[in-house]
């Protein structure tokens, strides 16, 4: 009992402190931070204000949305109050009975703010209105109407674009929690399972991977996050996937694979991060999206395969059981890729037979010693 508690404590508490840093989290977010960026470079974000607003989180976007509208209403309210003040339309100036104000029924800053709001959002209650006797008010009305249309178009368009971004479609693409290494088709392969939770397809899907690790060049240069291409395929290829049911993608561990010199015993001590990408076009909106996830050595299980999840019902429908989506089953697997290929070479030599170099074929000439 004590040993079991000790293992649980080590796995859940000490293991958390020893977790490796990820560049890409399991849900696809990039864990990177930019430091010492020059002030001039920061101004570029304001030049491309559309992308900056789209990349804001919802709480900041709504703050900007509310601030821009309230700020514009209050700013133009001050201008309307200034027009009424300069034209002496306010009650404190005691205008005469035949005095024609620039704006009817503006009695103070509050009424000026209400008129600014009614003008910009085109409410039109009909109580306050601009008269034709004041050119300044007519110009200000025209300017606020044009600027109000621009603000409405930009902010409402940003909200709509934020809602319809294909990034949300990527949330319905899920990868298995772990990757496995086992034999597939007589070859040692690294396998990952991916599923589309929607019935709508991703058109032109393409899947690939990058192995991130620290390498040292022959010149002694240390490259952090060096990227190595990892080719993933399914039985029908790695492009234009028919992504209607969960797929098991695999990477063949051959002589060109960076996993070739790894073994079951040395895998947990390796320092790498496998990032998997899935690119595709959303069928309903024709927008491209990318799904990402990553695996560290602790999440790569050697000697396992995924449990089957697709079955056929009595009604003739295909049923996908996501309860077993990340479930693995232990199978017999060579403990290294080199052992598998050496075993295959040995079997091939046995089929061909061995050549004995010490065997010498000598020809004996037959003579006829029989005398007649």
């Amino acid at each position: 009992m004590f040993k079991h508690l000790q293992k649980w404590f080590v796995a859940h508490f000490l293991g958390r402190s020893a977790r490796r840093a990820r560049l890409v989290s399991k849900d696809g977010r990039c864990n990177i931070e930019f430091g010492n960026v020059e002030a001039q470079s920061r101004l570029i974000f304001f030049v491309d204000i559309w992308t900056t607003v789209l990349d804001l989180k919802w709480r900041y976007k709504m703050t900007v949305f509310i601030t821009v509208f309230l700020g514009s209403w209050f700013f133009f309210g001050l201008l309307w109050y200034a027009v009424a003040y300069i034209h002496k339309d306010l009650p404190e100036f005691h205008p005469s009975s035949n005095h024609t104000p620039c704006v009817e029924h503006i009695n103070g800053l509050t009424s000026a703010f209400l008129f600014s709001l009614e003008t910009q959002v085109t409410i039109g209650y009909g109580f306050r209105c601009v008269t034709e006797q004041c050119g300044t008010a007519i110009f200000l009305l025209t300017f606020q109407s044009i600027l109000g249309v621009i603000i409405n178009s930009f902010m409402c368009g940003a909200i709509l674009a934020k809602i319809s971004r294909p990034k949300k479609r990527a949330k319905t693409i899920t990868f298995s929690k772990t990757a496995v290494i086992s034999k597939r088709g007589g070859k040692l392969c690294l396998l990952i399972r991916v599923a589309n939770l929607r019935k709508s397809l991703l058109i032109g899907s393409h899947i690939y991977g990058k192995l991130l690790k620290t390498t040292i060049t022959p010149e002694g240069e240390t490259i952090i996050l060096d990227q190595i291409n990892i080719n993933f395929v399914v039985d029908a290829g790695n492009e234009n996937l028919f992504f209607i049911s969960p797929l098991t993608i695999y990477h063949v561990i051959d002589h060109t694979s960076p996993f070739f010199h790894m073994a079951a015993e040395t895998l947990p001590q390796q320092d790498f991060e496998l990032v998997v990408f899935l690119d595709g076009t959303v069928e309903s909106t024709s927008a491209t999206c990318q799904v990402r996830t990553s695996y560290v050595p602790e999440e790569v299980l050697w000697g396992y395969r995924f449990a089957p999840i697709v079955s056929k019902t009595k009604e003739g429908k295909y049923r996908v059981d996501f309860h077993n989506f990340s479930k693995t089953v232990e199978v017999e697997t060579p403990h290294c890729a080199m052992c598998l290929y050496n075993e295959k070479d040995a079997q091939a030599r046995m089929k061909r037979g061995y050549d004995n170099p010490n065997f010498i074929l000598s020809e004996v000439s037959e003579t006829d010693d029989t005398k007649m």
Side-chain angles (χ1 to χ4, degrees):
M1 182 65 181
F2 177 75
K3 292 183 178 180
H4 177 73
L5 293 175
Q6 185 179 11
K7 289 182 180 180
W8 182 87
F9 178 81
V10 172
H12 287 76
F13 291 95
L14 297 182
R16 290 182 181 179
S17 61
R19 281 182 180 174
R20 306 172 192 262
R22 290 179 180 270
L23 178 65
V24 179
S25 63
K26 296 296 288 184
D27 57 357
R29 291 178 296 179
C30 295
N31 181 26
I32 192 167
E33 174 180 299
F34 298 100
N36 300 323
V37 180
E38 297 181 358
Q40 295 179 353
S41 300
R42 294 183 183 274
L43 294 177
I44 299 177
F45 292 94
F46 294 96
V47 174
D48 187 14
I49 188 65
W50 175 254
T51 306
T52 302
V53 172
L54 286 183
D55 290 339
L56 289 176
K57 295 182 179 179
W58 274 109
R59 54 181 177 270
Y60 301 126
K61 184 182 291 293
M62 295 307 300
T63 301
V64 172
F65 184 87
I66 296 172
T67 302
V68 168
F69 278 104
L70 289 179
S72 63
W73 297 339
F74 185 74
F75 172 74
F76 280 101
L78 292 176
L79 294 182
W80 286 116
Y81 180 80
V83 170
Y85 185 87
I86 294 173
H87 200 254
K88 297 183 179 181
D89 298 335
L90 301 177
E92 55 263 28
F93 292 106
H94 304 287
S96 60
S97 58
N98 59 352
H99 176 77
T100 303
C102 287
V103 181
E104 298 282 355
H105 301 99
I106 286 187
N107 303 318
L109 186 59
T110 303
S111 57
F113 174 79
L114 291 176
F115 180 71
S116 173
L117 188 153
E118 295 168 10
T119 301
Q120 189 164 327
V121 300
T122 63
I123 293 179
Y125 288 124
F127 181 66
R128 300 179 184 87
C129 60
V130 177
T131 61
E132 59 185 11
Q133 302 296 326
C134 187
T136 304
I138 296 175
F139 172 79
L140 184 58
L141 177 67
T142 304
F143 180 71
Q144 184 178 4
S145 299
I146 295 175
L147 186 61
V149 171
I150 296 175
I151 294 175
N152 291 340
S153 302
F154 183 88
M155 298 309 301
C156 295
I159 295 295
L160 180 60
K162 181 75 171 180
I163 296 175
S164 59
R165 290 186 77 179
K167 185 177 180 180
K168 301 302 179 183
R169 175 64 176 90
K171 299 296 183 182
T172 56
I173 305 297
T174 181
F175 289 88
S176 57
K177 295 180 180 179
T178 58
V180 298
I181 295 179
S182 60
K183 292 175 63 176
R184 186 184 182 94
K187 301 177 182 178
L188 192 64
C189 301
L190 184 143
L191 301 99
I192 297 173
R193 181 171 277 175
V194 59
N196 179 15
L197 300 181
R198 287 185 179 272
K199 291 186 178 180
S200 59
L201 301 179
L202 283 180
I203 303 174
S205 299
H206 174 64
I207 195 161
Y208 57 96
K210 299 287 185 180
L211 188 71
L212 308 179
K213 58 185 303 185
T214 301
T215 59
I216 300 177
T217 63
E219 295 76 18
E221 180 186 2
T222 301
I223 302 177
I224 300 177
L225 298 179
D226 187 23
Q227 300 184 15
I228 303 174
N229 290 327
I230 302 294
N231 296 322
F232 282 97
V233 296
V234 294
D235 293 335
N238 64 340
E239 295 184 358
N240 299 324
L241 305 178
F242 186 47
F243 202 10
I244 196 172
S245 63
L247 298 175
T248 300
I249 60 174
Y250 60 91
H251 163 71
V252 179
I253 303 178
D254 53 12
H255 295 82
T256 61
S257 172
F259 295 95
F260 182 76
H261 298 286
M262 299 182 189
E265 297 81 6
T266 61
L267 180 63
Q269 287 77 39
Q270 299 292 328
D271 185 15
F272 67 83
E273 180 178 354
L274 176 61
V275 184
V276 184
F277 303 86
L278 174 63
D279 299 339
T281 303
V282 182
E283 186 179 25
S284 55
T285 61
S286 298
T288 57
C289 70
Q290 183 182 86
V291 195
R292 300 180 294 266
T293 191
S294 67
Y295 299 92
V296 293
E298 291 81 2
E299 296 169 343
V300 180
L301 305 180
W302 196 295
Y304 288 83
R305 63 173 175 83
F306 291 110
I309 59 174
V310 180
S311 60
K312 196 171 184 179
T313 62
K314 296 180 179 179
E315 294 79 11
K317 295 183 178 180
Y318 291 94
R319 183 176 184 272
V320 179
D321 184 9
F322 281 94
H323 178 72
N324 296 332
F325 180 72
S326 295
K327 186 177 180 180
T328 57
V329 180
E330 189 172 3
V331 292
E332 183 179 354
T333 306
H335 76 285
C336 66
M338 193 173 299
C339 299
L340 176 63
Y341 287 101
N342 290 339
E343 179 184 350
K344 286 185 176 181
D345 293 340
Q347 292 177 355
R349 287 196 299 268
M350 289 180 63
K351 291 181 180 179
R352 292 194 304 266
Y354 290 98
D355 292 333
N356 186 357
N358 295 324
F359 178 78
I360 300 176
L361 178 62
S362 59
E363 296 182 358
V364 180
S365 59
E366 295 182 358
T367 59
D368 191 3
D369 296 334
T370 305
K371 293 181 180 180
M372 295 297 294

